[in-house]
Amino acid sequence: MSEVLLEVTNLKKFFPIKDNLLKTTIGEVQAVNGVSFTINKGEAFGLVGESGSGKTTVGRTILRMNEKTDGIVKFNGVDVHSLKRKELMKLRPQMQYIFQDPYSSLNPRMRIGDAIAEPFLEHKLATRENVRDKVLELLKLCGLSDYHIDRFPHEFSGGQRQRIVIARALALEPKLIIADEPVSALDVSIQAQIINLFSDLKNEKKLSYLFISHDLSVVEHLCTRIAIMYLGNIVEIADRDELFKNPFHPYTKALLSAVPIPDPTIKRKRIILTGDIPNPSKPPSGCKFHTRCPYAMDKCKDIEPSFRKISEGHEVACHII
């Protein structure tokens, strides 16, 4: 049986809406509203949904870049949000975050060798005498050359910058990496290279991933389990093969219908959702997807669906099931 590394239970994160004049709270944005899942050691877990669904907020709240509103986040059995600052600093090397835009997460005035060396020196895992060797080792691992060590971020392509950010995340030998849309800004050919790099590092370093994306075709190549998120909630969770073969939730089906098929002779019927994702500060009652769902019934408007087990490891929150 697989050992659980990360356990997220009923996680909530609401952001207050302030009145500009009186500086009082007049509402709240329910970015994440009761999300639960687990990630096993050595597993790549995908979290998928369109923009505004709350995926990034989940990742940032897990690492306490955002403080939670409610819920529990346990890493290796330790309640992350109960830790004091010094205890959290000791735990942080084991959990690393890769941001969507590699350029904005690198200091443009710092050579990439210094950027990668910084976490080694900060956490006293290397001395100034031997840190260069460790940086060169990481650069090689991530497909970069020795001569890159003295260059600045603007001298690299988008794919190379993403490799640099991955190298920096690996510096502290983490057990979990949260990757937030790490290939969305890259060309398709470069996306494949970065996904293959993630896969190779997973096997070589025994890493676990929370891979956040809006693109199911990307997570299909890396993740073994996938959760579908809509407006702050997970609506379906299943093993990758089961999800692609037997999707149940109408939202999952719509997302899958947009995944391109490499065979031009095969035509897939697109499911076009009407309207936009609702305002998270005023979410719909009942099932949040009912405003866009082609199969919505009367009870969908009033009663929030609970998760139902479809098969082993496959759960869906939908009244139609």
Side-chain angles (χ1 to χ4, degrees):
M1 187 174 179
S2 300
E3 189 176 353
V4 174
L5 177 67
L6 180 73
E7 185 177 3
V8 179
T9 306
N10 197 33
L11 182 65
K12 296 181 181 181
K13 177 57 184 176
F14 300 164
F15 294 97
I17 301 173
K18 300 286 187 178
D19 181 274
N20 289 332
L21 183 62
L22 301 176
K23 305 300 181 183
T24 57
T25 300
I26 58 174
E28 56 188 10
V29 175
Q30 300 179 17
V32 179
N33 193 5
V35 164
S36 300
F37 60 87
T38 59
I39 299 178
N40 297 323
K41 291 185 176 179
E43 179 184 27
F45 183 89
L47 187 60
V48 181
E50 61 191 316
S51 297
S53 59
K55 314 181 297 298
T56 294
T57 304
V58 169
R60 293 176 67 90
T61 306
I62 287 172
L63 293 192
R64 278 187 71 176
M65 287 186 271
N66 297 325
E67 291 295 332
K68 69 174 184 178
T69 299
D70 198 6
I72 299 173
V73 177
K74 287 187 177 181
F75 179 79
N76 255 348
V78 177
D79 188 343
V80 176
H81 284 262
S82 69
L83 297 177
K84 295 181 179 178
R85 181 176 176 82
K86 287 186 177 179
E87 297 170 324
L88 182 62
M89 286 299 292
K90 291 180 181 179
L91 188 66
R92 280 209 184 279
Q94 300 181 48
M95 302 183 292
Q96 292 294 302
Y97 199 95
I98 296 176
F99 294 91
Q100 181 174 354
D101 181 6
Y103 190 69
S104 65
S105 60
L106 293 169
N107 186 337
R109 298 180 180 179
M110 183 180 286
R111 299 179 191 274
I112 64 108
D114 295 330
I116 298 173
E118 193 173 37
F120 281 118
L121 299 173
E122 179 70 24
H123 290 272
K124 296 180 173 57
L125 298 177
T127 63
R128 292 197 176 276
E129 288 72 30
N130 68 0
V131 71
R132 185 179 178 88
D133 292 336
K134 289 183 175 291
V135 171
L136 290 173
E137 183 182 339
L138 276 178
L139 289 176
K140 182 179 180 181
L141 182 65
C142 294
L144 294 165
S145 302
D146 291 0
Y147 60 83
H148 288 136
I149 193 170
D150 293 318
R151 292 186 176 181
F152 291 93
H154 72 270
E155 298 179 82
F156 295 91
S157 67
Q160 288 175 317
R161 282 196 289 263
Q162 196 60 274
R163 290 173 183 271
I164 293 165
V165 171
I166 293 170
R168 189 175 62 178
L170 292 173
L172 300 176
E173 299 187 357
K175 295 178 180 178
L176 173 70
I177 287 181
I178 298 178
D180 183 8
E181 300 270 16
V183 298
S184 62
L186 305 177
D187 293 337
V188 175
S189 60
I190 306 301
Q191 284 185 9
Q193 294 176 21
I194 299 299
I195 292 298
N196 289 336
L197 175 60
F198 274 118
S199 182
D200 292 342
L201 291 173
K202 175 180 176 292
N203 297 328
E204 186 171 338
K205 296 287 189 179
K206 308 299 181 186
L207 292 170
S208 299
Y209 292 115
L210 172 57
F211 199 89
I212 298 169
S213 179
H214 66 275
D215 190 343
L216 274 166
S217 62
V218 170
V219 299
E220 179 185 10
H221 295 290
L222 180 67
C223 301
T224 52
R225 281 195 304 139
I226 300 173
I228 306 298
M229 191 168 178
Y230 183 80
L231 202 63
N233 295 101
I234 290 176
V235 297
E236 186 163 6
I237 186 168
D239 291 340
R240 173 192 58 202
D241 295 339
E242 171 69 11
L243 188 78
F244 277 78
K245 179 183 176 182
N246 195 25
F248 274 87
H249 199 281
Y251 183 59
T252 306
K253 292 179 179 179
L255 292 180
L256 283 170
S257 75
V259 175
I261 300 175
D263 188 344
T265 63
I266 300 176
K267 301 294 182 183
R268 175 180 281 160
K269 184 180 179 181
R270 282 293 310 274
I271 301 174
I272 308 297
L273 298 176
T274 59
D276 297 321
I277 191 167
N279 187 340
S281 65
K282 297 178 181 179
S285 59
C287 174
K288 293 178 181 177
F289 187 62
H290 83 260
T291 59
R292 305 173 72 192
C293 181
Y295 311 106
M297 303 175 290
D298 287 341
K299 68 176 181 179
C300 298
K301 302 175 183 178
D302 303 314
I303 304 173
E304 184 176 355
S306 56
F307 269 99
R308 301 184 188 184
K309 185 176 180 179
I310 302 300
S311 59
E312 189 62 36
H314 192 172
E315 294 182 290
V316 184
C318 182
H319 290 304
I320 301 173
I321 309 307

